[in-house]
Amino acid sequence: QVQLVESGGGLVQPGGSLRLSCVASGFRFSSYTMNWYRQAPGQERELVAGITSTFGITYYADSVKGRFTISRDNAKNTVYLQMTSLKPDDTAAYHCNTDGVLWDSNSGSEYWGQGTQVTVSS
């Protein structure tokens, strides 16, 4: 029943903006810190931003600080990532997940959604 559905990615020119959305279901969304991660080809997954459950405290990777903004709407079980001043180095597959990463008991492995691809290119 656990599900994470990311959307909002696409092709954008350097300096452009995108807003990513992640709709969660199957768990008590409002109780969990939510993170955005990204992974470029040949590179390890990187934590981009996070937002805590109770007070909405946010944190960002240095590489995106000042350009990206994470937010959440608990009533909609949705976490957002507003990305501005995009750079080619931001090109990656973006995924959301809980801070601890969801576990799928049926498959016996971590659960990750399909992600959404962000490509920044001129």
Side-chain angles (χ1 to χ4, degrees), residues 1 4 8 13-14 20 42-43 55 62 72 87 101 116-117:
Q1 290 294 95
L4 299 167
Q13 293 184 331
L20 308 184
Q43 299 184 14
F55 297 105
D62 287 341
R72 68 191 295 161
K87 305 174 181 180
V101 182
T116 186
Q117 178 68 37

Side-chain angles (χ1 to χ4, degrees), residues 23-79:
V23 180
S25 60
F27 65 99
R28 197 170 187 273
F29 176 83
S30 62
S31 296
Y32 288 84
T33 290
M34 294 298 297
N35 292 337
W36 281 98
Y37 302 85
R38 67 185 182 187
Q39 187 169 24
Q43 299 184 14
E44 294 186 354
R45 182 177 290 111
E46 173 190 20
L47 175 65
V48 176
I51 182 166
T52 64
S53 61
T54 305
F55 297 105
I57 298 168
T58 59
Y59 46 92
Y60 300 91
D62 287 341
S63 60
V64 308
K65 197 170 297 182
R67 300 187 298 118
F68 291 9
T69 302
I70 189 171
S71 61
R72 68 191 295 161
D73 185 341
N74 286 340
K76 296 182 178 179
N77 283 9
T78 301
V79 61

Side-chain angles (χ1 to χ4, degrees), residues 2 8 10 16 32 49 69 83-84 86 104 106 117-118 121:
V2 170
Y32 288 84
T69 302
M83 306 185 296
T84 62
L86 283 163
D104 188 331
N106 293 117
Q117 178 68 37
V118 172
S121 177

